[in-house]
Structure formats: C-alpha cells, structure tokens
C-alpha cells in the first residue's frame, strides 16, 4: 500500500487535469470511460518514472511478486541447468549463421543455480489431476529487461481459471545483464523440462499437444520465437500459441510505431530503456563495444539492412545488426509457415498494430508476403511453405496489452476468447478428427467496444502495402539523461514493450 501511495500522491494534479480534460475535450478514444482513461494515464506515468531510474532499480520495482487470491496455488520450481545444457545444443545449431552477431556469454551457466519458474492453478482442481489437462507455458512481457513470473500472477491466475489450465510461468534471464539468446535459451529449456521432466517433478512427461505457449508484448515475441525454434529444430510442435500484442519487429519498421494518433492512445514511450548510469549499464556498454568490434571484423555475409548501421545500440537485448534475426524479430523471418495455430490480439490504437497485422498475414499467406527485401529468394528454399492458421483480433480503441486493464469489458471479453482458443487448440491437436472452423482457415476480425465481431476495415489492410519491413526509420527523439529537460538526438526510433 505504501508503494501505491508513493506513486499516486505526486500525480494527483495530473489525474485531476485528465478528468477535467476527459469531460471538456473527450478521451483519446470515444469508447473510453473516465475509469479507463485514468488507468491509461497511470500506466503511462508509471513507465515514464522508469526513465529516471537505473536498470537495477527498474528491475527491482517491476519484478516484485504480487499477491493473488488464496483460491490459487503457486508452486515454486527450480529447473536444473541440465535442461539449459540440453537446449544449448539446439540453440547453437539454430544460430550458427549468426554467431558473430551475438553476445557470447549466454551459455555460461557456472554462476547460475537453475531456471526459476512457478506453477499457477486453481487449488480445488489439484495439481495435474485431470487426464485432459491443458498446460500454458507463459512468457511475461517487459521489453526483455524487466518483470517476472511473480509480477504477472494477476494475468496468469486469470488465464489458469478461465482456461481451466495449469500455467507454467518462467523467470527467463533479462537484459542487459543477459542478452539474446538467453531468453530464448530459457524458454526452450522450459519446454524440454515439461516434455521430459525429472522423476521428482511431481508430474509425468507432458505431450506437446497439451501445451500452448503464450506471452504478451516482448513475451509474445518470445512466444513466436520459441515456436520458430521448435519448428526449425525438428522438435515436436505444441498445440498452439497466443500472443497478446506481441512485439515481433525490433527494427521498429512499421508505420504505426510513428503514428501520432497512436501516440495519443497508447502508453508505450517513444524510446526503449534509456536508463540512468549504473553498474549494469556500464557493463552493458563494455560488452556492446566488444561485440561491435567482433561484428566489424567478421567476414561473414551481411544479413541486415544498412539502416541498422548505427553506432549507438537501439536495444539492450541484441546488437543492431542482429535485430532482423528471425528469433529476435519474427516479422523478418523468410517464412512464418509451418507453425501451429496462433491467436494474435492487438488494439487498434497501439503502436505495434501494423507489425502484428503484417505478421498475421505473412504467417497465414507465407508465399505472398515476402518482405523484408534483404530476404529476397530465401522463401523459395525454405522447408516451411505451408500456411499457418492465424486468428487475428483487432480491438477497437484499445492500447498495448489492454488485457492488463482487467476491469475493462473488452479485456474480459478477450480473456474469454483466449480461453476458448486454448481449449480448442488442445482439443484439435489431440484429436485430428475434431472439425472446428477456427482451424479450417485463418480468421481476421475486428471487435468493437460493444463486443461485436465484424470483418476488418479497409484501413486495417494498409499495413500490408508497406514496403520497408525490417528497415529502421531515423527520427529525432528525446533522450532523458536526468530530471532536467531532455535533449533531442537523432537515433533509430525505439519503443518499450
């Protein structure tokens, strides 16, 4: 409660001015009531606060576990590093082409005690008591830098209840201390743990057809990256995947990322993780400089666009030159075919809108959407040309990961539809004779503020005309270095997810 008071008290004038403006000029989106408008402003202010913190302070604040209803069980697990070692074989093979672009500390496990995770489920259902159990491997959001399984319990417990499932949420390693592919390495290790657990795990090996991988924002992008890693490694594929506002383009190449209207209706800031100096930041800068030298002296073929040739790092998760790697920016993959059914949700007022729309069509029609241009000719030699069944839901007036606003009716509606998708995905994967329209073909819909489902608008298709996929724009953005007025510098436009 003390933390809440500390956050709210200095912002009371802003909340008052927002309420006055709400009734005088109207909210950013017509469907927003005052409660949602105030919650939106609170979310925006809380993210702004992080930009006057060190990365360690931001992680400490955002990684704190939350208390949930006693109706749920929370069972802590530590996965042995042997699963990371098993996963390393696959990661090494996947990234051979890109090893010169990657920080080489991701596979150093000597100082790691294991991969922490937690099971969340409804207590009265018991642990793994049902034969038709559904397992959700949840990968939290937080721009690959912050948040945790514990801080996401409000989300994961809600999914566990509505989908009648066991949720397995992991604390994957965070940047900048652990850069790509550490998070993917941990996600794959979690999959291997679920499908081949140790004798003392308390459950038998789980059939991948009972597993749905799910994540939001950066965790949504990591969800898709994990699917691609399973596909490309020849591992048994899971029943399906869910991405709530998944971050699938770290090059930030799509138009909505710079859309001024989205700036009004989304709480994501116009830059990524510009934290104040700290030990972690200095260490990151040292590693970044060393990696830049390694890339500069490599004689391997170029796999990125010249727009990414930039001295300053865009993201703390990966080097600029590495951003188009499909396991970092799935939108830039040569093919998104051959994946299990995917549900994607996105708000029509959010900055990631266009990349999610383009991703949905590129996955469901892989032979038609072949950008980025520097992947020309790669689809033809890909082994994965079969379309992926995608359900795309665009929610009217909603910002990034609007499901976090649990009191909102559209958030509740989306949660229910997500649960239905998960149930159908597992049922269909387990029994191929089941005929369900959601899996016969891809489905793209809009959902209005009053929960009416309709076809996409003509304007929704405009993202498909964009030719600069995977090409980073250059704009001027403010970089906050202190509590004083920020300086404007020319850099690649980035965003926190």
């Amino acid at each position: 409660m003390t933390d809440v008071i500390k956050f709210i008290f200095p912002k009371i004038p802003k909340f008052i001015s927002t309420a006055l403006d709400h009734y005088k000029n109207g909210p950013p989106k017509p469907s927003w009531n005052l409660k949602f408008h105030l919650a939106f402003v609170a979310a925006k202010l809380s993210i702004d606060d992080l930009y006057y913190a060190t990365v360690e302070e931001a992680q400490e604040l955002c990684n704190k576990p939350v208390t949930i209803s006693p109706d749920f069980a929370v069972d802590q697990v530590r996965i042995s590093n042997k699963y990371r070692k098993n996963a390393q074989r696959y990661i090494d093979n996947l990234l051979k082409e890109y090893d010169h672009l990657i920080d080489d500390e991701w596979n150093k496990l000597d100082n790691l005690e294991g991969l922490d995770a937690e099971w969340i489920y409804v207590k009265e259902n018991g642990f793994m008591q049902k034969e038709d159990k559904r397992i959700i491997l949840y990968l939290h959001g937080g721009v690959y830098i912050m948040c945790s399984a514990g801080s996401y319990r409000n989300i994961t417990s809600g999914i566990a209840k509505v989908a009648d499932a066991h949720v397995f949420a992991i604390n994957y390693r965070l940047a900048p201390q652990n850069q790509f592919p550490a998070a993917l390495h941990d996600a794959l290790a979690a999959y291997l743990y679920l499908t081949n657990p140790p004798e003392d795990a308390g459950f038998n090996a789980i059939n991948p057809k009972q597993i749905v991988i799910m994540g939001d924002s950066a965790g949504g992008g990591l969800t898709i990256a994990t699917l691609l890693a399973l596909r490309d490694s020849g591992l048994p594929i899971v029943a399906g995947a869910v991405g709530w506002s998944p971050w699938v383009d770290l090059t930030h190449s799509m138009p909505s990322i710079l859309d001024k209207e989205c700036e009004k209706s989304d709480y994501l800031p116009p830059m990524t993780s510009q934290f104040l100096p700290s030990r972690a930041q200095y260490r990151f800068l040292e590693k970044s400089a060393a990696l830049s030298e390694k890339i500069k002296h490599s004689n391997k073929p170029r796999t990125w666009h010249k727009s990414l040739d930039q001295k300053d790092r865009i993201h703390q998760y990966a080097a600029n030159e590495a951003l188009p790697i499909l396991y970092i920016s799935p939108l830039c993959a040569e093919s998104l075919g051959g994946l299990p059914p995917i549900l994607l949700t996105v708000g029509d007022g959010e900055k990631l809108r266009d990349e999610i729309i383009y991703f949905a069509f590129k996955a469901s029609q892989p032979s038609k959407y072949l950008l980025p241009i520097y992947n020309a000719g790669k689809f033809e030699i890909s082994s994965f040309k079969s379309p992926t069944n995608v359900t795309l839901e665009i929610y009217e007036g909603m910002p990034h990961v609007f499901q976090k606003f649990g009191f909102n009716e559209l958030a509740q509606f989306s949660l229910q539809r997500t649960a239905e998708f998960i149930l159908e995905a597992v049922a269909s994967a387990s029994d191929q004779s089941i005929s369900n329209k959601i899996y016969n073909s891809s489905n793209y819909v809009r959902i209005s503020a009053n929960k009416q489902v309709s076809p996409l608008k003509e304007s929704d298709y405009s993202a498909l005309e964009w030719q600069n996929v995977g090409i980073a724009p250059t704009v001027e953005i403010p970089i906050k270095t202190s509590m004083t007025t920020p300086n404007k510098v020319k850099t690649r436009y980035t965003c926190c997810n």
Side-chain angles (χ1 to χ4, degrees):
M1 183 60 70
T2 303
D3 289 341
V4 174
I5 294 172
K6 285 182 179 178
F7 170 74
I8 291 178
F9 187 75
K11 297 173 177 61
I12 288 176
K14 179 62 176 177
F15 293 140
I16 292 173
S17 65
T18 296
L20 294 173
D21 189 58
H22 180 90
Y23 289 111
K24 182 179 179 180
N25 300 314
K29 291 290 185 178
S31 60
W32 292 11
N33 59 24
L34 179 60
K35 184 177 181 179
F36 190 88
H37 194 176
L38 289 172
F40 169 83
V41 169
K44 200 159 192 171
L45 292 173
S46 68
I47 290 179
D48 285 346
D49 283 353
L50 297 177
Y51 290 81
Y52 299 115
T54 66
V55 67
E56 294 95 332
E57 290 169 341
Q59 289 172 342
E60 181 181 1
L61 177 66
C62 296
N63 295 11
K64 288 181 180 178
V66 299
T67 302
I68 56 174
S69 166
D71 294 338
F72 296 94
V74 180
D75 297 345
Q76 302 294 327
V77 176
R78 176 162 287 172
I79 301 173
S80 166
N81 274 338
K82 80 173 188 178
Y83 288 96
R84 279 183 168 137
K85 291 177 180 177
N86 290 340
Q88 182 182 332
R89 296 185 296 111
Y90 296 105
I91 299 293
D92 281 336
N93 190 53
L94 293 172
L95 298 178
K96 281 180 182 177
E97 180 183 353
Y98 312 107
D99 60 358
H100 60 302
L101 305 177
I102 296 168
D103 177 78
D104 59 6
E105 294 187 6
W106 65 274
N107 56 7
K108 296 179 180 177
L109 307 178
D110 292 343
N111 295 324
L112 299 178
E113 295 182 357
L115 172 56
D116 289 332
E118 60 185 40
W119 286 105
I120 291 189
Y121 55 95
V122 178
K123 276 184 182 177
E124 66 179 18
N125 291 344
F127 182 65
M128 299 294 191
Q129 297 299 309
K130 295 184 177 181
E131 287 298 322
D132 62 339
K133 53 183 173 284
R134 287 168 288 277
I135 309 300
I136 300 170
L137 172 55
Y138 198 90
L139 306 173
H140 66 77
V143 73
Y144 292 109
I145 290 175
M146 61 192 79
C147 299
S148 67
S151 70
Y152 259 70
R153 287 175 187 163
N154 287 329
I155 296 286
T156 52
S157 61
I159 296 165
K161 181 178 181 179
V162 179
D164 189 20
H166 286 63
V167 176
F168 190 66
I170 67 169
N171 286 318
Y172 59 83
R173 284 169 288 168
L174 300 174
Q177 296 92 333
N178 301 279
Q179 298 173 45
F180 176 84
L184 178 62
H185 183 202
D186 289 351
L188 188 56
Y191 164 90
L192 295 174
Y193 171 81
L194 292 173
T195 55
N196 185 26
E199 292 183 1
D200 61 353
F203 62 94
N204 296 323
I206 297 168
N207 188 327
K209 293 180 179 180
Q210 294 177 290
I211 298 173
V212 171
I213 306 178
M214 179 174 178
D216 67 284
S217 196
L222 183 56
T223 291
I224 304 300
T226 305
L227 291 186
L228 291 168
L230 294 176
R231 181 197 72 177
D232 297 348
S233 298
L235 288 165
I237 207 71
V238 294
V242 177
W244 283 354
S245 300
W247 189 21
V248 292
D249 177 23
L250 275 69
T251 71
H252 289 313
S253 63
M254 299 301 289
S256 60
I257 205 76
L258 295 172
D259 191 292
K260 291 182 179 179
E261 290 303 310
C262 290
E263 184 68 35
K264 299 174 186 176
S265 57
D266 201 5
Y267 56 82
L268 292 180
M271 56 186 174
T272 189
S273 316
Q274 302 291 343
F275 294 105
L276 297 183
S278 71
R279 180 179 296 179
Q281 285 294 95
Y282 288 132
R283 174 64 177 139
F284 162 72
L285 292 174
E286 290 175 358
K287 292 167 68 177
S288 176
L291 181 56
S292 293
E293 285 299 308
K294 175 182 170 183
I295 294 170
K296 188 185 301 183
H297 292 97
S298 172
N299 58 6
K300 286 196 172 185
R302 184 187 186 93
T303 55
W304 64 93
H305 188 263
K306 63 182 180 181
S307 63
L308 294 167
D309 290 332
Q310 176 120 316
K311 180 180 178 182
D312 296 326
R313 281 277 289 263
I314 297 174
H315 296 295
Q316 303 200 24
Y317 181 57
N320 297 351
E321 297 88 345
L323 295 181
I325 295 173
L326 70 162
Y327 310 111
I328 297 176
S329 295
L331 188 69
C332 295
E334 60 268 21
S335 176
L336 294 171
L339 298 175
I342 300 173
L343 168 64
L344 303 172
T345 69
V346 60
D348 77 351
E350 72 165 287
K351 295 177 181 179
L352 304 191
R353 179 193 65 217
D354 289 350
E355 66 190 68
I356 295 169
I357 292 173
Y358 196 95
F359 177 92
F361 281 83
K362 182 172 178 175
S364 59
Q365 302 177 50
S367 62
K368 184 174 181 180
Y369 298 97
L370 302 176
L371 296 175
I373 54 175
Y374 44 85
N375 273 346
K378 291 186 178 180
F379 176 77
E380 286 72 18
I381 60 175
S382 170
S383 301
F384 307 104
K385 295 186 173 69
S386 60
T388 296
N389 286 319
V390 178
T391 298
L392 170 66
E393 297 181 347
I394 303 176
Y395 284 79
E396 179 186 342
M398 289 292 101
H400 185 64
V401 196
F402 62 91
Q403 294 89 346
K404 290 183 178 180
F405 301 92
F407 61 87
N408 178 266
E409 287 190 6
L410 273 187
Q412 296 167 11
F413 188 65
S414 176
L415 177 61
Q416 185 59 51
R417 288 177 67 88
T418 296
E420 292 170 0
F421 177 90
I422 291 169
L423 267 64
E424 292 168 344
V426 173
S428 295
S430 302
D431 186 352
Q432 293 298 321
S433 66
I434 293 178
S435 175
N436 191 298
K437 64 180 179 180
I438 202 170
Y439 300 112
N440 290 338
S441 62
S442 291
N443 189 28
Y444 323 115
V445 298
R446 261 191 166 264
I447 298 176
S448 67
N450 60 2
K451 297 179 283 190
Q452 296 299 306
V453 180
S454 61
L456 298 189
K457 292 181 179 178
E458 185 175 344
S459 59
D460 295 325
Y461 292 96
S462 62
L464 305 180
E465 304 300 320
W466 190 247
Q467 295 298 304
N468 290 339
V469 176
I471 300 175
T474 303
V475 296
E476 287 190 348
I477 62 170
I479 300 296
K480 299 177 183 177
T481 56
S482 68
M483 295 296 286
T484 59
T485 303
N487 298 316
K488 283 189 176 181
V489 301
K490 185 171 285 189
T491 186
R492 300 297 168 192
Y493 187 90
T494 55
C495 179
C496 178
N497 303 281

